CSV table of all heavy atoms in Angstrom, one decimal:
chain,number,residue,atom,x,y,z
A,1,ALA,N,115.8,94.5,77.9
A,1,ALA,CA,114.6,94.0,78.4
A,1,ALA,C,113.5,94.1,77.3
A,1,ALA,O,113.1,95.2,77.0
A,1,ALA,CB,114.2,94.8,79.7
A,2,PRO,N,113.0,93.0,76.8
A,2,PRO,CA,112.0,93.0,75.8
A,2,PRO,C,110.7,93.8,76.2
A,2,PRO,O,110.1,94.5,75.4
A,2,PRO,CB,111.7,91.5,75.5
A,2,PRO,CG,113.0,90.8,75.9
A,2,PRO,CD,113.5,91.6,77.1
A,3,SER,N,110.4,93.7,77.5
A,3,SER,CA,109.1,94.4,77.9
A,3,SER,C,109.3,95.9,77.8
A,3,SER,O,108.4,96.6,77.5
A,3,SER,CB,108.8,93.9,79.3
A,3,SER,OG,109.9,94.3,80.2
A,4,LEU,N,110.5,96.4,78.2
A,4,LEU,CA,110.8,97.8,78.1
A,4,LEU,C,110.9,98.2,76.6
A,4,LEU,O,110.5,99.4,76.3
A,4,LEU,CB,112.1,98.2,78.8
A,4,LEU,CG,112.0,98.4,80.3
A,4,LEU,CD1,113.3,98.9,80.9
A,4,LEU,CD2,110.9,99.3,80.7
A,5,SER,N,111.4,97.4,75.8
A,5,SER,CA,111.5,97.7,74.4
A,5,SER,C,110.2,97.9,73.8
A,5,SER,O,109.9,98.9,73.0
A,5,SER,CB,112.3,96.6,73.6
A,5,SER,OG,112.5,97.0,72.3
A,6,ARG,N,109.2,97.0,74.1
A,6,ARG,CA,107.9,97.2,73.7
A,6,ARG,C,107.2,98.5,74.2
A,6,ARG,O,106.5,99.2,73.5
A,6,ARG,CB,107.0,96.0,74.0
A,6,ARG,CG,107.4,94.7,73.3
A,6,ARG,CD,106.4,93.6,73.5
A,6,ARG,NE,106.4,93.1,74.9
A,6,ARG,CZ,107.2,92.1,75.3
A,6,ARG,NH1,108.1,91.5,74.5
A,6,ARG,NH2,107.2,91.7,76.6
A,7,LEU,N,107.5,98.8,75.5
A,7,LEU,CA,107.0,100.0,76.1
A,7,LEU,C,107.6,101.2,75.4
A,7,LEU,O,106.9,102.2,75.2
A,7,LEU,CB,107.3,100.0,77.6
A,7,LEU,CG,106.5,100.9,78.5
A,7,LEU,CD1,105.0,100.5,78.4
A,7,LEU,CD2,106.9,100.8,79.9
A,8,ASP,N,108.8,101.2,75.0
A,8,ASP,CA,109.4,102.3,74.3
A,8,ASP,C,108.8,102.5,72.9
A,8,ASP,O,108.6,103.6,72.5
A,8,ASP,CB,110.9,102.0,74.1
A,8,ASP,CG,111.6,103.1,73.4
A,8,ASP,OD1,111.9,104.2,74.1
A,8,ASP,OD2,112.0,103.0,72.2
A,9,GLU,N,108.4,101.4,72.3
A,9,GLU,CA,107.7,101.5,71.0
A,9,GLU,C,106.3,102.2,71.2
A,9,GLU,O,105.8,103.0,70.4
A,9,GLU,CB,107.5,100.1,70.4
A,9,GLU,CG,108.8,99.5,69.9
A,9,GLU,CD,108.7,98.1,69.4
A,9,GLU,OE1,107.5,97.6,69.5
A,9,GLU,OE2,109.6,97.5,69.0
A,10,ARG,N,105.6,101.8,72.3
A,10,ARG,CA,104.3,102.4,72.6
A,10,ARG,C,104.5,103.9,73.0
A,10,ARG,O,103.6,104.7,72.6
A,10,ARG,CB,103.7,101.7,73.8
A,10,ARG,CG,103.1,100.3,73.5
A,10,ARG,CD,102.5,99.7,74.8
A,10,ARG,NE,101.5,100.6,75.4
A,10,ARG,CZ,101.2,100.5,76.7
A,10,ARG,NH1,101.7,99.6,77.5
A,10,ARG,NH2,100.2,101.3,77.1
A,11,LEU,N,105.5,104.2,73.6
A,11,LEU,CA,105.8,105.6,74.0
A,11,LEU,C,106.0,106.4,72.7
A,11,LEU,O,105.5,107.5,72.5
A,11,LEU,CB,107.0,105.8,74.9
A,11,LEU,CG,107.5,107.2,75.2
A,11,LEU,CD1,106.4,107.9,76.0
A,11,LEU,CD2,108.8,107.2,75.9
A,12,ALA,N,106.8,105.9,71.7
A,12,ALA,CA,107.0,106.6,70.5
A,12,ALA,C,105.7,106.8,69.7
A,12,ALA,O,105.5,107.9,69.1
A,12,ALA,CB,108.0,105.8,69.6
A,13,GLU,N,104.9,105.8,69.7
A,13,GLU,CA,103.6,105.9,69.0
A,13,GLU,C,102.7,106.9,69.7
A,13,GLU,O,102.0,107.7,69.0
A,13,GLU,CB,102.9,104.5,68.9
A,13,GLU,CG,101.5,104.6,68.3
A,13,GLU,CD,101.6,105.2,66.9
A,13,GLU,OE1,102.6,105.0,66.1
A,13,GLU,OE2,100.6,105.8,66.5
A,14,ALA,N,102.7,106.9,71.0
A,14,ALA,CA,101.8,107.9,71.8
A,14,ALA,C,102.3,109.3,71.5
A,14,ALA,O,101.5,110.2,71.4
A,14,ALA,CB,101.9,107.5,73.3
A,15,TYR,N,103.6,109.5,71.4
A,15,TYR,CA,104.1,110.8,71.2
A,15,TYR,C,103.8,111.3,69.8
A,15,TYR,O,103.3,112.4,69.6
A,15,TYR,CB,105.7,110.8,71.3
A,15,TYR,CG,106.3,112.0,70.8
A,15,TYR,CD1,106.1,113.3,71.3
A,15,TYR,CD2,107.2,111.9,69.6
A,15,TYR,CE1,106.7,114.4,70.8
A,15,TYR,CE2,107.8,113.1,69.1
A,15,TYR,CZ,107.5,114.3,69.7
A,15,TYR,OH,108.1,115.4,69.2
A,16,ARG,N,103.9,110.4,68.8
A,16,ARG,CA,103.6,110.8,67.4
A,16,ARG,C,102.1,111.1,67.3
A,16,ARG,O,101.7,112.1,66.6
A,16,ARG,CB,103.9,109.6,66.4
A,16,ARG,CG,105.4,109.5,66.1
A,16,ARG,CD,105.6,108.5,64.9
A,16,ARG,NE,105.2,107.2,65.3
A,16,ARG,CZ,106.0,106.2,65.7
A,16,ARG,NH1,107.3,106.6,65.9
A,16,ARG,NH2,105.6,105.0,66.0
A,17,SER,N,101.2,110.4,68.0
A,17,SER,CA,99.8,110.6,67.9
A,17,SER,C,99.5,111.9,68.6
A,17,SER,O,98.7,112.8,68.1
A,17,SER,CB,99.1,109.5,68.6
A,17,SER,OG,97.7,109.7,68.7
A,18,ALA,N,100.1,112.2,69.8
A,18,ALA,CA,99.9,113.4,70.5
A,18,ALA,C,100.3,114.7,69.7
A,18,ALA,O,99.7,115.7,69.7
A,18,ALA,CB,100.5,113.4,71.9
A,19,ARG,N,101.5,114.5,69.1
A,19,ARG,CA,102.1,115.7,68.4
A,19,ARG,C,101.2,116.1,67.2
A,19,ARG,O,101.2,117.2,66.7
A,19,ARG,CB,103.5,115.3,67.9
A,19,ARG,CG,104.3,116.5,67.4
A,19,ARG,CD,105.7,116.1,67.0
A,19,ARG,NE,106.5,117.3,66.7
A,19,ARG,CZ,106.5,117.9,65.5
A,19,ARG,NH1,105.7,117.4,64.6
A,19,ARG,NH2,107.2,119.0,65.3
A,20,ALA,N,100.4,115.1,66.7
A,20,ALA,CA,99.5,115.4,65.5
A,20,ALA,C,98.3,116.1,65.9
A,20,ALA,O,97.5,116.6,65.1
A,20,ALA,CB,99.2,114.1,64.8
A,21,ARG,N,98.0,116.2,67.3
A,21,ARG,CA,96.7,116.8,67.7
A,21,ARG,C,96.8,118.3,67.9
A,21,ARG,O,95.9,119.0,67.4
A,21,ARG,CB,96.3,116.1,69.0
A,21,ARG,CG,95.9,114.7,68.8
A,21,ARG,CD,95.4,114.1,70.1
A,21,ARG,NE,95.8,112.7,70.2
A,21,ARG,CZ,96.4,112.1,71.2
A,21,ARG,NH1,96.6,112.8,72.3
A,21,ARG,NH2,96.7,110.9,71.2
A,22,PRO,N,97.7,118.9,68.7
A,22,PRO,CA,97.5,120.3,69.0
A,22,PRO,C,97.9,121.2,67.9
A,22,PRO,O,98.6,120.8,66.9
A,22,PRO,CB,98.5,120.5,70.2
A,22,PRO,CG,99.5,119.4,70.0
A,22,PRO,CD,98.8,118.3,69.4
A,23,ALA,N,97.5,122.5,68.0
A,23,ALA,CA,97.8,123.4,66.9
A,23,ALA,C,99.3,123.9,66.9
A,23,ALA,O,99.8,124.4,66.0
A,23,ALA,CB,96.9,124.6,67.0
A,24,THR,N,100.0,123.6,68.1
A,24,THR,CA,101.4,124.0,68.2
A,24,THR,C,102.2,122.8,68.5
A,24,THR,O,102.6,122.5,69.7
A,24,THR,CB,101.5,125.0,69.3
A,24,THR,OG1,100.9,124.5,70.5
A,24,THR,CG2,100.9,126.3,68.9
A,25,PRO,N,102.5,121.9,67.5
A,25,PRO,CA,103.3,120.7,67.8
A,25,PRO,C,104.7,121.0,68.3
A,25,PRO,O,105.3,120.1,69.0
A,25,PRO,CB,103.3,120.0,66.4
A,25,PRO,CG,103.0,121.1,65.4
A,25,PRO,CD,102.1,122.0,66.1
A,26,GLY,N,105.2,122.1,67.9
A,26,GLY,CA,106.6,122.5,68.4
A,26,GLY,C,106.6,122.5,69.9
A,26,GLY,O,107.6,122.1,70.5
A,27,THR,N,105.6,123.0,70.6
A,27,THR,CA,105.5,123.1,72.0
A,27,THR,C,105.6,121.7,72.6
A,27,THR,O,106.3,121.4,73.6
A,27,THR,CB,104.3,123.8,72.5
A,27,THR,OG1,104.3,125.2,72.0
A,27,THR,CG2,104.2,123.8,74.0
A,28,LEU,N,104.8,120.8,72.0
A,28,LEU,CA,104.8,119.4,72.5
A,28,LEU,C,106.1,118.7,72.3
A,28,LEU,O,106.6,118.0,73.2
A,28,LEU,CB,103.7,118.6,71.8
A,28,LEU,CG,103.3,117.3,72.6
A,28,LEU,CD1,101.8,117.2,72.7
A,28,LEU,CD2,103.9,116.1,71.9
A,29,THR,N,106.8,119.0,71.2
A,29,THR,CA,108.1,118.5,71.0
A,29,THR,C,109.1,118.9,72.1
A,29,THR,O,109.8,118.1,72.7
A,29,THR,CB,108.7,118.9,69.6
A,29,THR,OG1,107.8,118.4,68.6
A,29,THR,CG2,110.1,118.4,69.4
């Protein structure tokens, strides 16, 4: 499903951005 594939890309980007914020990225992982 192309719509889900695009959503998966958005999820990956949201995760990368969130992981860069807290002082303990390992917890977020």
Side-chain angles (χ1 to χ4, degrees):
S3 61
L4 277 187
S5 182
R6 290 191 293 271
L7 201 59
D8 184 75
E9 293 174 358
R10 286 181 54 202
L11 175 67
E13 178 55 36
Y15 167 67
R16 284 193 293 268
S17 177
R19 194 176 185 278
R21 290 180 217 137
T24 52
T27 297
L28 197 133
T29 297

